[in-house]
Amino acid sequence: QVQLVESGGGLVQPGGSLRLSCAFSGSIFSINAVGWYRQAPGKQRELVATITRGRSTIYADSVKGRFTISRDNAKNTVYLQMNSLKPEDTAVYYCNHAASGISYPINYWGQGTQVTVSS
């Protein structure tokens, strides 16, 4: 049974921080890379960061140095620490399957978590 549950979003001022969580079930996520994706209004969904089971990470240029992806394999959870947030980070954030640095989602999405960066 595959399940993805994202949480931790909210409204934050520019320069602020948020920590997102993704609780997953299903071996496809536990043994492979997981990615954080985001979709802003009127834009296509984009890959933000990926992490392998061995914790190798890759980031999109737009978030490099500001976001940190991590995972707890024992808890089947992936996190996204977001610092120095900008208005352009406003989007619904989702987690899903990925390859290292490559968008490779399965045809199932959780509900996502809304991140709004605004003063």
Side-chain angles (χ1 to χ4, degrees):
Q1 183 77 9
V2 170
Q3 189 173 26
L4 296 164
V5 180
E6 300 93 346
S7 62
L11 172 64
V12 63
Q13 292 187 340
S17 298
L18 284 173
R19 188 193 193 207
L20 308 184
S21 297
C22 164
F24 60 81
S25 61
S27 58
I28 189 171
F29 302 116
S30 60
I31 65 175
N32 292 319
V34 176
W36 278 100
Y37 299 76
R38 67 185 181 187
Q39 187 166 22
K43 295 188 177 181
Q44 287 190 331
R45 192 169 291 167
E46 64 173 346
L47 180 64
V48 172
T50 64
I51 185 166
T52 66
R53 179 175 174 80
R55 299 184 177 85
S56 294
T57 59
I58 294 180
Y59 298 91
D61 287 343
S62 59
V63 306
K64 203 172 293 184
R66 301 188 297 121
F67 290 9
T68 302
I69 189 171
S70 61
R71 69 188 287 168
D72 185 330
N73 291 329
K75 295 182 178 180
N76 284 350
T77 302
V78 174
Y79 304 96
L80 187 68
Q81 177 66 44
M82 305 187 297
N83 298 328
S84 302
L85 282 161
K86 304 175 180 180
E88 51 264 43
D89 295 318
T90 295
V92 179
Y93 284 71
Y94 303 88
C95 58
N96 207 315
H97 181 264
S100 186
I102 299 173
S103 176
Y104 198 4
I106 64 169
N107 191 26
Y108 167 84
W109 294 90
Q111 83 287 351
T113 187
Q114 175 71 50
V115 172
T116 303
V117 185
S118 175
S119 55

